[in-house]
Amino acid sequence: MLLAALQAHLPSYSRGGRQSELGMAAEVRVHANEVECKRSNSAQMVSSGTLVRHMQNALDKRAKVKELASVAKADGITVYVGDSVTDLGALLEADIGIVMGGNSTLARVAAAAGITIQPLITAPRTEAPPPGTLFQTGSWWEVAAFAAPAKRPPPGASAPAQANSTRNEVPTSTSGLESRGAARAQGEAQPASGVAQAGAHPQVPTVLTVAGSDSGGGAGIQADLKTFQARGVFGTSAIAALTAQNTRGVAGVHVPPADFLTAQMDAVLEDMDVHAVKTGMLPTVQAVHAVADAVQRHKVTALVVDPVLVASSGHSLADSDVAHVIVDRLLPLATVVTPNLAEAAALLGDSSPIQSLRGMEAAARRLHQLGARCLLVKGGHLASRGDAHEAVDVLFDGSTMQHLSAPRVDSRNTHGTGCTLAAAIAAELAKGLPAAEAVRAAKEYLSAALRSSADLQIGKGAHGPLNHGYATNRWGGGPSKRIDLRVYGVTDAASNAKLGRSNADAVSAAARGGMTIVQLREKLANGGNFLEEARAVIAAARPHGVPVIINDRVDVAMAAGADGVHVGQDDLPVALVRQLMGPHTILGVSCKTVEQARRAEADGADYLGVGAVFATPTKDSRVIGYEGLQAVCQATALPVVAIGGLNAQNAADAIHAGAQGIAVVRDIFANSDAASATQQLRAVVDQAIAKLS
């Protein structure tokens, strides 16, 4: 598929009457032999399906892309999305070529031709990528976010009447495509990535939260503002109530006059371009009316209603008749409503609790009939589901009922989870995601925050707070920067499969045997499978205190919440990886020379993987021997793990050469008893280190 500004083109030479549902542009033109385009149930996915040209082979496809790219050059740029080797020519003709999925044949052909493939998150928005560079993703929504028009309609609003009406306008933070294409056509110099052009004012997604203040900092306004910052939007606030609150419960509530709440909202909405409003604790009927009036008066188009009625400690946070007024005034205005089981029953006026998935579905349908466009009924853990390890929510948009499951996190630190989830949804709506995708993104963020906060100990009560900024501040869930490289396991999926076990099973066994750190290495897995594997390995390693490092894939490391990433000399630049991963994650770099080691240290690496010390079938690399290893160890202050052909017989020599540990693949993961094999390696390494001290 090729996206030219607000137009989408589908070049295809496939036959067989396949159906296509496209929803990423205002107009779709199909260049194909036979494609039937149908109207989807979702208003977001509509295709005109105009057949404009027949195509016979990959050369025709490339020629068509070249033609379209030439036409778009004056007022936009072209983005081509492909998933096979036959797309390679077309991918290179577009300004931005995006590889969808993990086609290993395409990757091998690209590598043989000297073409680099990088994660889509690294694609530049204000300058052309280097020649021969493609970008990869497994998500169409990531493509949509990258290729979105520079000034899109607010969430819930209808599309503009003229498909090309927004070209050449100042880009938002999500896309600089049109303005970049216009500047290039006029011969203007392009600024470096991330640097705004003179006179340009990128639009910052802004969210207003109207809620109660939590003096303990775990919920309410405080949680919302932390979430906004973590999700990359600007947060503003209007305080509907002040609470004296901590991890033990609510000691008191003070409610300011409704006219002062109105003054706070008007002050923000009259001055700033607010893209979404989120409500939380609204303690009185007057407060609900004030919010509804302000939403209507200021024509707010994206509203998330979190009907906070009772605190997690059990304390009531609203008058008894507030639920009824929320239904009458706010539900018809809401884009997304996020009640938990008790709140859903209260909004419906039911005295009996909701106790099953079927009950949640029925509540979602009834609330939709009362005016809400999209319902997220939060179930937490339902005993009737029969799975103690899964938490499930129900998402209903009036036509589709979805069950959204996530691994349950066993933690006391759950105070403010409802506020955090609703705030994250509002943040994603402000950035332009459709409601369903905003909910999914918000749930992923909340799940990661819960996992990262499980070990926190803040306050003495039963309900502790979250670490909303876990990506940059790892207070309890992640490792410190003290990196123990003594026995550095590198997974081998093929060897584990031959032994009838998963990577996660083998990692758990090796951790029991004394492995101090593990790298998940998956050279052939696509992004989605790699992410699932990473999450499984992290779950296996974390109980043993073993950090998990992801090989090469920065996007997978970030998505899985891994402890760090390891990159080679041909991967993303170390300085860019450090910028993407943040200061508190572990960053390892493969080196074989003193120059490479010093550069990696300067760019922010935490440790170096140096080798290959000996030849090995798992690492196609020039052998440097003990001499090369020693030279690098002496040239840098960073800790070094020796890589390549290391085992129990030669590990001591690597330690004596200056390494802090050895990286091992086969001697752990090709051994049927990974725990014993690791235990033997650990004993040799520890003995060698002891002799040096």
Side-chain angles (χ1 to χ4, degrees):
M1 181 188 296
L2 178 139
L3 304 173
L6 289 177
Q7 292 186 344
H9 298 256
L10 174 60
S12 174
Y13 58 86
S14 62
R15 297 181 183 274
R18 66 187 180 92
Q19 292 184 334
S20 178
E21 295 186 20
L22 308 171
M24 296 174 61
E27 179 183 349
V28 179
R29 294 170 62 80
V30 181
H31 313 258
N33 291 310
E34 186 179 356
V35 175
E36 177 188 352
C37 291
K38 68 176 184 178
R39 183 178 297 273
S40 167
N41 290 332
S42 171
Q44 300 288 339
M45 304 280 282
V46 177
S47 170
S48 64
T50 305
L51 187 64
V52 296
R53 179 183 174 182
H54 291 278
M55 310 191 78
Q56 301 300 323
N57 52 44
L59 293 178
D60 286 347
K61 188 187 296 187
R62 180 171 187 171
K64 171 52 65 176
V65 173
K66 185 174 183 179
E67 172 191 330
L68 292 168
S70 176
V71 171
K73 187 174 182 180
D75 59 353
I77 75 156
T78 53
V79 178
Y80 185 86
V81 184
D83 61 1
S84 69
V85 174
T86 61
D87 288 306
L88 194 54
L91 286 163
L92 294 171
E93 289 293 347
D95 296 302
I96 300 288
I98 300 177
V99 178
M100 176 59 66
N103 188 306
S104 58
T105 303
L106 187 154
R108 288 196 297 270
V109 171
I115 300 166
T116 61
I117 302 179
Q118 301 178 4
L120 182 57
I121 59 173
T122 66
R125 298 185 182 277
T126 57
E127 61 181 1
T133 302
L134 302 177
F135 302 93
Q136 187 175 40
T137 182
S139 167
W140 275 106
W141 291 113
E142 187 174 347
V143 175
F146 179 83
K151 188 176 178 64
R152 59 190 145 192
S158 59
Q162 298 298 322
N164 297 327
S165 63
T166 60
R167 292 187 181 182
N168 301 327
E169 294 188 18
V170 177
T172 68
S173 60
T174 58
S175 177
L177 303 181
E178 289 78 20
S179 63
R180 187 180 81 192
R184 182 191 58 201
Q186 297 167 12
E188 297 176 6
Q190 295 298 304
S193 179
V195 179
Q197 300 181 38
H201 299 285
Q203 195 174 40
V204 178
T206 301
V207 184
L208 167 64
T209 172
V210 186
S213 169
D214 175 4
S215 56
I221 291 286
Q222 287 80 356
D224 292 348
L225 292 177
K226 293 172 186 177
T227 301
F228 295 157
Q229 184 72 20
R231 301 308 298 165
V233 301
F234 183 75
T236 62
S237 65
I239 299 177
L242 295 95
T243 67
Q245 186 175 175
N246 55 27
T247 60
R248 293 172 172 171
V250 180
V253 178
H254 173 72
V255 179
D259 58 355
F260 186 69
L261 175 61
T262 296
Q264 294 177 73
M265 292 185 290
D266 286 344
V268 174
L269 293 168
E270 290 173 357
D271 178 57
M272 301 178 184
D273 187 5
V274 173
H275 300 84
V277 172
K278 177 260 179 187
T279 68
M281 174 188 176
L282 301 176
T284 65
V285 168
Q286 292 78 15
V288 177
H289 283 301
V291 172
D293 291 343
V295 166
Q296 292 178 309
R297 184 168 62 254
H298 293 282
K299 297 180 173 58
V300 171
T301 56
L303 173 65
V304 177
V305 174
D306 182 24
V308 178
L309 302 173
V310 179
S312 55
S313 60
H315 292 82
S316 176
L317 296 176
D319 293 345
S320 58
D321 50 356
V322 163
H324 176 73
V325 183
I326 288 177
V327 170
D328 286 346
R329 294 295 317 272
L330 289 183
L331 257 61
L333 303 175
T335 308
V336 181
V337 184
T338 64
N340 59 28
L341 299 183
E343 291 161 351
L347 292 174
L348 292 169
D350 292 345
S351 57
S352 57
I354 299 170
Q355 297 180 328
S356 66
L357 277 175
R358 183 166 295 182
M360 293 169 64
E361 292 175 351
R365 288 192 178 94
R366 291 171 61 191
L367 288 169
H368 183 269
Q369 292 172 352
L370 293 175
R373 279 177 274 172
C374 185
L375 275 303
L376 179 70
V377 180
K378 301 174 294 188
H381 170 58
L382 290 176
S384 60
R385 184 172 174 81
D387 187 351
H389 301 291
E390 290 290 316
V392 61
D393 299 336
V394 166
L395 179 66
F396 182 60
D397 63 1
S399 60
T400 303
M401 187 77 68
Q402 302 178 56
H403 294 172
L404 305 182
S405 297
R408 189 182 182 208
V409 179
D410 186 13
S411 171
R412 68 177 280 273
N413 299 316
T414 57
H415 184 46
T417 51
C419 304
T420 298
L421 179 62
I425 294 171
E428 300 304 328
L429 289 175
K431 290 187 284 187
L433 281 185
E437 293 306 314
V439 169
R440 291 190 184 92
K443 279 183 62 65
E444 289 179 4
Y445 164 72
L446 177 59
S447 294
L450 282 165
R451 291 194 299 270
S452 298
S453 306
D455 297 331
L456 290 184
Q457 186 61 51
I458 299 176
K460 300 178 178 64
H463 301 284
L466 298 175
N467 177 10
H468 293 84
Y470 64 87
T472 55
N473 294 288
R474 299 207 169 199
W475 298 329
S480 68
K481 278 303 188 76
R482 188 186 69 82
I483 306 167
D484 190 344
L485 299 174
R486 285 177 292 171
V487 180
Y488 187 121
V490 181
T491 63
D492 183 355
S495 294
N496 285 322
K498 289 179 181 178
L499 293 169
R501 65 191 182 195
S502 67
N503 274 335
D505 292 336
V507 165
S508 181
R512 293 195 302 271
M515 180 175 63
T516 57
I517 188 169
V518 64
Q519 179 187 126
L520 178 60
R521 189 172 186 265
E522 292 284 351
K523 289 295 186 182
L524 299 179
N526 61 36
N529 291 338
F530 200 164
L531 178 59
E532 291 182 8
E533 191 71 16
R535 288 172 172 167
V537 167
I538 290 169
R542 283 271 167 84
H544 302 281
V546 174
V548 176
I549 308 298
I550 303 299
N551 178 252
D552 292 349
R553 293 292 298 270
V554 178
D555 53 342
V556 172
M558 296 172 68
D563 301 301
V565 68
H566 187 97
V567 296
Q569 294 297 315
D570 296 327
D571 296 321
L572 293 177
V574 176
L576 176 58
V577 176
R578 172 54 74 201
Q579 179 182 353
L580 292 170
M581 295 294 295
H584 299 284
T585 51
I586 300 172
L587 173 54
V589 180
S590 295
C591 300
K592 63 174 68 274
T593 68
V594 169
E595 292 74 17
Q596 291 174 350
R598 287 173 174 166
R599 184 166 61 249
E601 183 175 9
D603 287 344
D606 293 309
Y607 75 88
L608 304 177
V610 178
V613 179
F614 300 108
T616 170
T618 60
K619 192 167 183 64
D620 182 15
S621 178
R622 177 173 59 85
V623 171
I624 65 171
Y626 290 127
E627 295 80 6
L629 173 63
Q630 186 175 39
V632 173
C633 291
Q634 292 176 348
T636 176
L638 293 179
V640 168
V641 59
I643 297 176
L646 280 305
N647 52 44
Q649 285 68 47
N650 55 29
D653 291 331
I655 300 301
H656 294 153
Q660 278 72 41
I662 59 171
V664 180
V665 183
R666 290 173 298 159
D667 273 30
I668 294 178
F669 296 110
N671 194 306
S672 59
D673 190 347
S676 295
T678 307
Q679 188 175 23
Q680 181 183 1
L681 288 165
R682 173 72 176 269
V684 172
V685 172
D686 285 349
Q687 185 177 11
I689 293 174
K691 286 183 178 180
L692 290 177
S693 60

